[in-house]
Every structure is written in C-alpha cells, then in structure tokens.
C-alpha cells in the first residue's frame, strides 16, 4: 500500500510538472493570484476554524513558490533586501506598524458605531482555550506577515517582472497583485460579519496591499513585514475585543451583539 501511494504521488507530481511546463507564465501568474482566494474561502467554510484554515492557507502559500522554483529550474529571485539598511528598515517598520495598528483600531471604533447592524450577529470561528488563542496569535502575528509579504510582494512581483521581461515593474501587474490581496480577504470577513463588511474590507485591503508593496520597494522586505505585523496586531486586538463582547472598549454596539461563535 505504501509503495502504491508513493508511486501515485510521484506520477502526480510528474504530471503536474509536465502540464506546468506547457502553460504560459501569464496563466501561471493568474493561478497563483486566484488560488489564495479559493483556499482561504474553502478552508474557513469547511472547517469553521480560524486556526486550521489559516494553517492550511499558510502551507499552500509556502509550497506554491517552492513548486514553481522546482518547476522552472531557475533562481526565483535575487538575494532579497531583508538586511539592507537594517536600522532604517526597523525604524520605518516599527513607526509604520504603529500607525497601521492605531488605524485599524480607529476603523473598528468608527464602523461599529456607523454600522452597528454589521456587528449584531457575528460568527467567530474560534475555539475555547488559552492554548488555542496563543497558537492562533503566534500564527497570525508572526507567521502570517512573513509568508504573505514573501508570497504577494516578493514572489508574485518577481513573476510579473519576469513575465514582462523588463527591468521595471509593470504598474498593471502591481495593481493586480494588490487587488487579489484585497480580494482574498473578502470571504473571511463576509463569513464573520456581513457581505457589506467584506466588500469594504476588500477595497481597503487592496489599498493596504499597495501600501505594503510601496514600503517593500522603498525601504525593504523587513520594513514591510514589521508594518504588516503592526496591522495584524490591530486586527488581533479587534477580535480579542469581539471575543470578549466589547469588554475592553465597552462599545455598546459590541456589548449588545449576538454572537454565533464556533466555540465548543
């Protein structure tokens, strides 16, 4: 049985490699842009668990670039600028991360008062237990920013530059990457809140994707990751407040909400 499974996996991998070589780079890029949207949507809708769905998503955006590098048999990218001007990157990353965190909290406060109905029935796909929340927090605050920045703003940006065979980046491709970065946030927010909330966040995350990309191109990858961590910290604080029904903010729109939590 083990030998049959091994043979099946080897043949499947060979088939994928053969099909991949016959596809255009533009088609490959389109698949890489769309897959995170599909994976994040299916993962959350099937498991109804934030930790499991995010882990599945992170495994996929880690493996996909590795698969392409193996397929193309070429160096995927030059040495990344992670440690270029580290002091400047750390300073800019912490400052912009703080701004991102505060901005998220302000957005949360404003929207909960502007659209309280969007907070009236919230489906939080969390489980009970401190260990669960710690694991989710580590994944969301440390693993998520690193993998997302590498996938969206390094790997996909490099693919677009390779596709255009130009020294400069295509503005259309940069916008497409930011747009799909925003789009893959639509279903999870819709799943937890409302469709309107999903659309609003999708639009804002497209702009934020441009913001992260501009930081990566101007300062470097480390600055973009630190800024991303700051934004995710703000989101984490929002969900912590939601999880405790507005205990921290004492926001009446939250304390009076009806939760349809997945906690067991």
């Amino acid at each position: 049985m083990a030998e049959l499974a091994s043979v099946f996996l080897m043949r499947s991998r060979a088939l994928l490699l053969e099909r991949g070589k016959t596809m255009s780079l533009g088609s490959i890029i389109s698949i890489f842009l769309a897959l995170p949207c599909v994976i994040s949507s299916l993962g959350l809708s099937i498991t109804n668990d934030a930790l499991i769905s995010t882990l599945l998503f992170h495994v996929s955006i880690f493996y996909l670039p590795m698969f392409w590098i193996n397929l193309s048999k070429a160096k995927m990218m030059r040495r990344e600028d992670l440690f270029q001007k580290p002091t400047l990157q750390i300073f800019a990353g912490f400052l912009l991360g703080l701004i991102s965190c505060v901005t998220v909290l302000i957005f949360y406060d404003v929207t909960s008062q502007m659209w309280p109905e969007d907070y009236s029935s919230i489906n939080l796909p969390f489980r009970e237990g401190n260990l669960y929340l710690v694991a989710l927090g580590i994944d969301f605050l440390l693993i998520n920013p690193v993998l997302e920045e590498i996938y969206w703003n390094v790997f996909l940006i490099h693919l677009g530059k390779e596709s255009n065979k130009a020294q400069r980046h295509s503005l259309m491709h940069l916008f497409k990457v930011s747009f799909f970065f925003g789009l893959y946030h639509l279903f999870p927010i819709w799943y937890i809140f409302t469709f309107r909330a999903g659309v609003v966040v999708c639009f804002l995350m497209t702009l934020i994707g441009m913001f992260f990309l501009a930081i990566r191109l101007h300062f470097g990858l480390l600055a973009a990751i630190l800024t991303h961590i700051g934004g995710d910290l703000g989101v984490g604080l929002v969900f912590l407040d939601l999880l405790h029904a507005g205990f921290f903010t004492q926001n009446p729109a939250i304390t009076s909400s009806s939760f349809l939590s997945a906690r067991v």
Side-chain angles (χ1 to χ4, degrees), residues 60-124:
S60 67
I61 65 173
F62 175 80
Y63 177 74
L64 287 173
M66 297 300 103
F67 172 77
W68 172 252
I69 291 171
N70 185 43
L71 175 65
S72 61
K73 301 296 183 183
K75 290 184 178 180
M76 191 61 244
M77 60 195 75
R78 61 178 175 77
R79 184 187 178 97
E80 189 46 51
D81 52 356
L82 179 61
F83 299 108
Q84 182 180 354
K85 298 181 180 179
T87 304
L88 177 61
Q89 288 204 59
I90 292 173
F91 176 77
F94 271 109
L95 179 61
L96 294 171
L98 178 61
I99 294 173
S100 298
C101 181
V102 172
T103 302
V104 169
L105 296 177
I106 293 174
F107 175 78
Y108 168 58
D109 183 63
V110 171
T111 55
S112 63
Q113 298 181 50
M114 184 182 300
W115 300 314
E117 61 274 16
D118 286 358
Y119 293 88
S120 62
S121 183
I122 304 174
N123 179 29
L124 290 176

Side-chain angles (χ1 to χ4, degrees), residues 161-248:
K161 190 175 180 180
E162 186 178 274
S163 176
N164 295 323
K165 297 181 179 179
Q167 295 299 317
R168 301 184 64 181
H169 298 288
S170 165
L171 292 179
M172 179 57 68
H173 179 72
L174 297 182
F175 173 77
K176 283 170 61 178
V177 171
S178 297
F179 172 75
F180 276 92
F181 175 75
L183 186 63
Y184 107 86
H185 288 85
L186 188 150
F187 180 80
I189 298 300
W190 180 11
Y191 182 87
I192 296 172
F193 298 99
T194 62
F195 178 70
R196 176 175 61 185
V199 172
V200 170
V201 170
C202 174
F203 172 75
L204 292 177
M205 290 307 299
T206 299
L207 299 180
I208 291 172
M210 296 178 185
F211 176 59
F212 288 158
L213 177 57
I215 294 171
R216 209 283 287 181
L217 295 176
H218 184 73
F219 292 106
L221 179 61
L222 180 59
I225 290 174
L226 291 175
T227 305
H228 200 142
I229 290 174
D232 282 0
L233 176 61
V235 174
L237 292 174
V238 167
F239 279 105
L240 193 61
D241 189 61
L242 291 172
L243 189 63
H244 291 83
F247 175 80
F248 299 102

